C-alpha cells in the first residue's frame, strides 16, 4: 500500500512543511546561488529579509527556536563582521587618518554584505532542514531523481547514526576524563586526547558496519527492483514556489 | 570512463555502509567541534578557523585508506554532503556540495595514479596538503574571502595546508595504521593487506 507524506508532526507546521523536498531544494539552491552572485549590501539585505520572511510565515518555528537561530546568527555574524572589517581593504577611514587603510567605510559595507551572505546560506539551510523530513528527501532522490538507492540510503544510514555516535563520543570522553581524573594541559596533551578520542570513535563506527550491512543484506537490499512505501507528490504550490525562487534568482543575477 | 563506472559499481554493500558510517562520524566531529569552531571564528575569523580544517576532511580520505577502490572518497564525501544538507549546515548547501567535489577531485586521481597501492606516510601527507588549495579557492569566491588583503589570504592558505597535512593526511594514516590489525577492517582492502603481510612475515 502506498503512503502519502502526511505525518501529523510535519504537516502541523507552516506551509513549508506541506511542500515536497524537491521544490524546497530548488529554493534552497537558487537562493544560495543568487546570494553568492550578489555583492551589494542592499541586495544581500533583500535576500536575508526574504529568507526571514519565508521562515516566519512558513517554517512554524517556536519562540525558542527563533531565539536559538537568531542567537546563532548574532554569535556568528558579529565576530565575522568585525574580523572582515579588519582584513578588507578600503580608502575612507572611519576614525580619522590614524587607522590608515584599516577600519574603512568601504570595508565595513563589504564586511556587512559578506556576513549577510553567510547568514543567508545558514538560514536557508536551517529552514530546509527543519521543515523537511529526511526520509522524504531519500524518497524524492530515489523516486523522482532516480539516484541509485545505495547512495541515497547510505545518507539515510549516516543520518541515523549521528545521534548514536554522538552519545557514544560523549561516553568515551567522560571515560577518558575519569581515567586521568585531572585534565592535562598543553597542546601536546590536548592533541593526544584528540587522537585517542578519534580512534575510539572510528572503532565504534566500524563496529556497527557489520551489523548494519548484515541487516540490509538479510532484507535483500540491492537485489531486484526497489519499491517505494512513500509516494511523494509535488503540489501546485510547490511548483509555484520553485518557479518564483528560480525567477527571483535569475532576476537578481541579471540586475547585477 | 566505462571501466571507471564499472569499478564504482564494484563497491560492496559493506563498503557503502562503511562510507555511510564514516560520513556519520564527520557529522559527530562537526557537532563536537562546533563550539571550538565558533570560538576560533570569534577570535580570528577564517584565519584561526583554518587551523582545524583538516579534521573536517578526514572521513573521505580514511574511506579511501580502508577501501582502496575508485569512488571510495568521492561517494563518502558526497554522502557526507547530502547528510549535511538534510540536517542543516552552517555554510549552506552549495558549500557542502562544492567542498565534497573539490576534495574528491584531488583524492581520486591521486590514488588512481598510484593504482590504489601507495598509502605510505609521504603519500598521505602529500594528499592532505593537495586537498586544501582547490576548496580554499572555491570558498574564497563563494564567501568573498577573495576581497581580503593578499597577505591574509596567503597566511590562511598556509595554515590550511599545514592543517590538511597533519590533521587530515597524518591523522588518517595514524588512525588507519592503528585499525589495520583489528577485526573490524578485515573485510576491506586495508585489513586484507595487513593479514597478508602478517602471514608473509
Amino acid at each position: 500500500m502506498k503512503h502519502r507524506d502526511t505525518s501529523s508532526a510535519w504537516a502541523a507546521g507552516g506551509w513549508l512543511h506541506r511542500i515536497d523536498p524537491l521544490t524546497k531544494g530548488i529554493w534552497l539552491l537558487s537562493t544560495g546561488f543568487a546570494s553568492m552572485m550578489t555583492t551589494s549590501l542592499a541586495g544581500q539585505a533583500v535576500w536575508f529579509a526574504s529568507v526571514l520572511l519565508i521562515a516566519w510565515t512558513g517554517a512554524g518555528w517556536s519562540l525558542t527556536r527563533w531565539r536559538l537561530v537568531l542567537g546563532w546568527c548574532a554569535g556568528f555574524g558579529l565576530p565575522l563582521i568585525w574580523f572582515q572589517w579588519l582584513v578588507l581593504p578600503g580608502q575612507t577611514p572611519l576614525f580619522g587618518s590614524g587607522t590608515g587603510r584599516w577600519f574603512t567605510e568601504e570595508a565595513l559595507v563589504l564586511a556587512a554584505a559578506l556576513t549577510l551572505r553567510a547568514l543567508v546560506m545558514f538560514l536557508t539551510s536551517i529552514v530546509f532542514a527543519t521543515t523537511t523530513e529526511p526520509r522524504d528527501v531519500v524518497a524524492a532522490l530515489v523516486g523522482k531523481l532516480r539516484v541509485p538507492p545505495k547512495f541515497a540510503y547510505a545518507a539515510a544510514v549516516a543520518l541515523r547514526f549521528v545521534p548514536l555516535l554522538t552519545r557514544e563520543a560523549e561516553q568515551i570522553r567522560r571515560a577518558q576524563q575519569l581515567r586521568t581524573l585531572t585534565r592535562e594541559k598543553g597542546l601536546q596533551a590536548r592533541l593526544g586526547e584528540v587522537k585517542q578520542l578519534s580512534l575510539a570513535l572510528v572503532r565504534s563506527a566500524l563496529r556497527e558496519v557489520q551489523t548494519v550491512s548484515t541487516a540490509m543484506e538479510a532484507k535483500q537490499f540491492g537485489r531486484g527492483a526497489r519499491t517505494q512505501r512513500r509516494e511523494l507528490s509535488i503540489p501546485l504550490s510547490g511548483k509555484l514556489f520553485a518557479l518564483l525562487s528560480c525567477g527571483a534568482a535569475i532576476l537578481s543575477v541579471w540586475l547585477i | 570512463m566505462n571501466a571507471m563506472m564499472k569499478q564504482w559499481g564494484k563497491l560492496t554493500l559493506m563498503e557503502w555502509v562503511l562510507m555511510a558510517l564514516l560520513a556519520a562520524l564527520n557529522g559527530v566531529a562537526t557537532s563536537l567541534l562546533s563550539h571550538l569552531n565558533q570560538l576560533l571564528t570569534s577570535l580570528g575569523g577564517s584565519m584561526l578557523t583554518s587551523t582545524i580544517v583538516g579534521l573536517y576532511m578526514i572521513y573521505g580520505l580514511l574511506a579511501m585508506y580502508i577501501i582502496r577502490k575508485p569512488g571510495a572518497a568521492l561517494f563518502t564525501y558526497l554522502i557526507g554532503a547530502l547528510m549535511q544538507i538534510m540536517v542543516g549546515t552552517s555554510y549552506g548547501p552549495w558549500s557542502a556540495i562544492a567542498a565534497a567535489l573539490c576534495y574528491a577531485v584531488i583524492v581520486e586521481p591521486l590514488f588512481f595514479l598510484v593504482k590504489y597501492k601507495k598509502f605510505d606516510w609521504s603519500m598521505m601527507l602529500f594528499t592532505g596538503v593537495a586537498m586544501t588549495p582547490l576548496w580554499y579557492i572555491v570558498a574564497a569566491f563563494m564567501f568573498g574571502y577573495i576581497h581580503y588583503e593578499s597577505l591574509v589570504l596567503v597566511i590562511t592558505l598556509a595554515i590550511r595546508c599545514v592543517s590538511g597535512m597533519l590533521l587530515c593526511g597524518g591523522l588518517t594514516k595514524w588512525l588507519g595504521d592503528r585499525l589495520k590489525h583489528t577485526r573490524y577492517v578485515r573485510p576491506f582492502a586495508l585489513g586484507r593487506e595487513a593479514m597478508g603481510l602478517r602471514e608473509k612475515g
Side-chain angles (χ1 to χ4, degrees):
Chain A
M1 201 177 97
K2 299 272 183 185
H3 171 90
R4 287 193 179 266
D5 54 328
T6 50
S7 74
S8 56
W10 292 86
W15 58 271
L16 277 169
H17 291 260
R18 290 185 287 275
I19 291 180
D20 67 288
L22 280 187
T23 45
K24 257 184 290 187
I26 293 172
W27 166 73
L28 178 71
L29 294 176
S30 58
T31 307
F33 179 73
S35 178
M36 276 190 292
M37 300 302 286
T38 307
T39 47
S40 73
L41 179 59
Q44 290 296 353
V46 169
W47 279 113
F48 185 66
S50 82
V51 179
L52 279 180
L53 183 70
I54 287 169
W56 180 52
T57 58
W61 285 350
S62 63
L63 202 63
T64 317
R65 175 157 278 168
W66 270 108
R67 267 196 214 129
L68 259 174
V69 169
L70 294 178
W72 192 93
C73 284
F76 176 75
L78 292 175
L80 190 62
I81 278 202
W82 173 255
F83 175 78
Q84 296 194 114
W85 192 17
L86 191 71
V87 295
L88 285 166
Q91 281 90 40
T92 324
L94 272 178
F95 307 112
S97 55
T99 52
R101 293 174 67 208
W102 311 108
F103 297 112
T104 61
E105 195 183 317
E106 296 82 4
L108 181 60
V109 171
L110 191 55
L114 294 178
T115 304
L116 278 179
R117 181 189 289 179
L119 293 180
V120 167
M121 305 269 201
F122 165 70
L123 267 182
T124 48
S125 179
I126 292 301
V127 170
F128 178 84
T130 53
T131 59
T132 314
E133 209 178 350
R135 59 183 170 166
D136 284 343
V137 179
V138 175
L141 287 174
V142 176
K144 302 276 180 202
L145 297 181
R146 304 282 171 225
V147 168
K150 272 182 183 170
F151 176 74
Y153 282 92
V157 167
L159 201 60
R160 172 83 184 82
F161 273 89
V162 172
L164 296 175
L165 291 172
T166 307
R167 217 174 304 142
E168 205 151 345
E170 195 49 43
Q171 280 175 354
I172 293 166
R173 215 165 54 88
R174 281 194 195 145
Q176 281 179 344
Q177 275 175 1
L178 273 175
R179 276 182 66 194
T180 51
L181 288 175
T182 48
R183 200 165 179 191
E184 288 179 70
K185 285 180 180 169
L187 188 66
Q188 209 174 353
R190 291 281 162 89
L191 276 175
E193 276 176 25
V194 169
K195 275 163 75 176
Q196 290 307 327
L197 180 66
S198 314
L199 184 61
L201 266 175
V202 175
R203 223 185 284 139
S204 304
L206 286 171
R207 207 174 43 220
E208 304 290 349
V209 171
Q210 257 173 349
T211 317
V212 177
S213 56
T214 308
M216 287 170 91
E217 272 164 0
K219 287 180 182 173
Q220 303 286 305
F221 184 88
R223 285 161 204 258
R226 244 196 112 70
T227 51
Q228 289 287 318
R229 188 167 172 267
R230 295 170 77 80
E231 189 193 340
L232 284 175
S233 59
I234 301 177
L236 182 67
S237 55
K239 286 174 190 162
L240 278 173
F241 183 51
L243 205 67
L244 271 173
S245 309
C246 285
I250 292 167
L251 190 71
S252 162
V253 174
W254 181 67
L255 282 176
I256 295 165
Chain B
M1 189 68 189
N2 266 350
M4 191 175 260
M5 289 302 283
K6 270 183 193 168
Q7 277 291 319
W8 285 356
K10 279 183 185 169
L11 288 166
T12 63
L13 183 61
M14 197 178 269
E15 286 163 349
W16 278 99
V17 175
L18 171 73
M19 295 191 293
L21 281 158
L22 289 176
L25 267 188
N26 183 56
V28 177
T30 308
S31 142
L32 289 176
L33 291 169
S34 61
H35 294 296
L36 178 63
N37 200 353
Q38 199 157 12
L39 179 75
L40 292 173
T41 309
S42 317
L43 294 174
S46 63
M47 211 191 263
L48 270 188
T49 316
S50 296
T51 53
I52 56 165
V53 87
L55 291 173
Y56 297 101
M57 294 151 48
I58 289 181
Y59 67 116
L61 190 59
L62 187 58
M64 179 57 88
Y65 192 80
I66 297 174
I67 296 170
R68 302 183 177 191
K69 279 185 188 175
L74 171 71
F75 289 124
T76 310
Y77 283 128
L78 284 177
I79 292 167
L82 180 58
M83 196 196 73
Q84 282 176 37
I85 292 171
M86 288 199 278
V87 294
T89 158
S90 318
Y91 298 99
W94 282 110
S95 75
I97 299 166
L101 292 175
C102 287
Y103 296 148
V105 96
I106 300 295
V107 178
E108 291 290 343
L110 272 178
F111 286 100
F112 178 76
L113 284 175
V114 294
K115 296 180 180 156
Y116 305 93
K117 284 190 169 66
K118 193 171 155 64
F119 287 89
D120 57 11
W121 275 100
S122 59
M123 181 69 187
M124 296 305 285
L125 292 177
F126 174 71
T127 309
V129 178
M131 284 164 76
T132 318
L134 181 61
W135 166 233
Y136 182 61
I137 294 165
V138 173
F141 283 98
M142 212 176 238
F143 296 104
Y145 308 154
I146 200 74
H147 300 287
Y148 290 6
E149 288 279 354
S150 327
L151 183 67
V152 176
L153 288 176
V154 172
I155 293 173
T156 309
L157 179 63
I159 294 172
R160 279 182 176 234
C161 284
V162 173
S163 176
M165 182 172 77
L166 299 176
L167 294 182
C168 178
L171 194 53
T172 302
K173 175 75 180 153
W174 184 83
L175 284 170
D177 287 351
R178 290 289 168 292
L179 293 166
K180 70 182 176 187
H181 295 299
T182 63
R183 65 186 171 89
Y184 307 123
V185 292
R186 266 177 222 160
F188 308 106
L190 173 68
R192 284 196 298 270
E193 193 201 71
M195 292 272 285
L197 284 177
R198 193 182 277 180
E199 275 162 20
K200 269 183 199 169

